[in-house]
Amino acid sequence: MEQKEYLSEESYLKIKKKITIISLVILIIGILLGGLLIATGAIKQRNGKEENVENNSQVEEKLRTKEEIQADINNTQSQIDNIESEISELKTELTQIFIDDKGYSDRYYEKDNEIKTKEQEEKKLQEELYNYNKELMNLGIEEVKKDTFKSSNNVTKYAPYYAFGIFIIIASCIVSMGIYLIAKEREIRAFTIQQNMPITKEVIDKMAPTIGKAAGTITEEVNKGIKNSINKNENNSEKENK
């Protein structure tokens, strides 16, 4: 059975290709997912803006202006003032009738019924005035709601979509770049070596003569030491033979 070689050039190229593909897939998925979140946020923001516009239009159709309501209030208050003045006059006449007729006469009851009719009219106008004032107060509340509709379309409501989308894109770019650099590590190292090679060559060229001279000196000294040792041994041998 043939043993698989993991350190062969062919195996290296295959693994390099796989790593490159993985980094590319991570980058594409990250961009698509992040882009999808950003697009979702943009669509929701646009739909929210359209919904707010529609709601505002509906509110505006139902509401009268402050000027219209205030005109009704002023007109009603004027009618009430007139009726109160009439009632005051009728009560004065009623008192005079009571004095003239020396008691409760038919004229007295007729005038009293007239006063009661006017008081009913005043009561009805007072109710209308109350309703107009209530309508004016509700108009202020509706204007607050309208401002709330506008503020609800604030971008902060949809900020998480944009934030997470951008985060995913940036994170996928960082991870993808890290994996891609692993696949290109050999090329990067080769480039670094080639980049430093001229400097290294220059250093070697300048240091070679000095190193060669030093090596020659060392060799010469070693040879001298060997010769001295040999001569010393020979002299000792001659002395012993004598």
Side-chain angles (χ1 to χ4, degrees), residues 163-206:
F164 283 114
I166 294 172
F167 172 77
I168 290 174
I169 291 175
I170 294 175
S172 63
C173 289
I174 293 174
V175 174
S176 176
M177 180 59 68
I179 296 174
Y180 184 77
L181 290 177
I182 292 174
K184 294 294 182 179
E185 187 175 359
R186 179 194 281 187
E187 286 81 355
I188 294 172
R189 287 187 179 182
F191 172 76
T192 304
I193 293 172
Q194 289 176 350
Q195 191 177 29
N196 295 328
M197 190 176 292
I199 299 175
T200 305
K201 186 172 182 281
E202 184 177 350
V203 171
I204 292 173
D205 291 341
K206 289 185 177 181

Side-chain angles (χ1 to χ4, degrees), residues 6-21:
Y6 291 97
L7 300 179
S8 65
E9 184 68 16
E10 182 181 357
S11 177
Y12 163 76
L13 292 175
K14 288 182 179 179
I15 295 174
K16 176 184 174 182
K17 184 177 180 181
K18 289 180 181 179
I19 294 175
T20 304
I21 292 173

Side-chain angles (χ1 to χ4, degrees), residues 47-65:
N47 293 340
K49 186 183 294 185
E50 293 175 353
E51 182 179 352
N52 287 340
V53 170
E54 183 179 352
N55 290 335
N56 290 338
S57 299
Q58 292 176 355
V59 170
E60 289 175 355
E61 289 176 359
K62 295 178 181 179
L63 296 179
R64 295 195 300 159
T65 63

Side-chain angles (χ1 to χ4, degrees), residues 30 32 35-36 38 40 49 68 106 110 117-118 127 129 174 199 206 231:
L32 290 176
L36 179 62
I38 294 173
T40 301
K49 186 183 294 185
E68 292 174 342
D106 293 337
E110 288 177 0
T117 301
K118 290 293 182 181
E127 291 177 354
L129 182 63
I174 293 174
I199 299 175
K206 289 185 177 181
N231 292 333

Side-chain angles (χ1 to χ4, degrees), residues 73-218:
I73 291 174
N74 295 337
N75 182 43
T76 304
Q77 185 63 54
S78 177
Q79 293 181 50
I80 291 173
D81 293 340
N82 292 333
I83 290 177
E84 287 180 347
S85 178
E86 292 177 3
I87 291 174
S88 178
E89 293 177 359
L90 290 173
K91 286 183 177 180
T92 301
E93 293 177 5
L94 182 66
T95 302
Q96 188 63 41
I97 291 172
F98 183 82
I99 295 173
D100 293 342
D101 294 350
K102 297 180 181 180
Y104 298 102
S105 63
D106 293 337
R107 285 198 312 145
Y108 178 89
Y109 288 115
E110 288 177 0
K111 187 62 67 175
D112 184 58
N113 290 332
E114 188 177 350
I115 292 172
K116 290 179 180 179
T117 301
K118 290 293 182 181
E119 287 176 345
Q120 289 295 325
E121 291 180 8
E122 182 187 9
K123 182 178 179 181
K124 184 178 180 181
L125 289 172
Q126 289 287 0
E127 291 177 354
E128 291 180 1
L129 182 63
Y130 171 79
N131 290 331
Y132 289 141
N133 284 317
K134 184 177 179 181
E135 184 181 3
L136 186 62
M137 182 180 65
N138 290 336
L139 179 62
I141 295 173
E142 292 297 339
E143 287 180 348
V144 172
K145 288 182 179 180
K146 184 178 177 180
D147 294 336
T148 304
F149 283 140
K150 292 180 179 179
S151 62
S152 66
N153 193 48
N154 197 315
V155 70
T156 54
K157 183 178 180 180
Y158 309 99
Y161 291 97
Y162 298 111
F164 283 114
I166 294 172
F167 172 77
I168 290 174
I169 291 175
I170 294 175
S172 63
C173 289
I174 293 174
V175 174
S176 176
M177 180 59 68
I179 296 174
Y180 184 77
L181 290 177
I182 292 174
K184 294 294 182 179
E185 187 175 359
R186 179 194 281 187
E187 286 81 355
I188 294 172
R189 287 187 179 182
F191 172 76
T192 304
I193 293 172
Q194 289 176 350
Q195 191 177 29
N196 295 328
M197 190 176 292
I199 299 175
T200 305
K201 186 172 182 281
E202 184 177 350
V203 171
I204 292 173
D205 291 341
K206 289 185 177 181
M207 293 295 294
T210 303
I211 294 172
K213 185 177 180 180
T217 302
I218 293 171

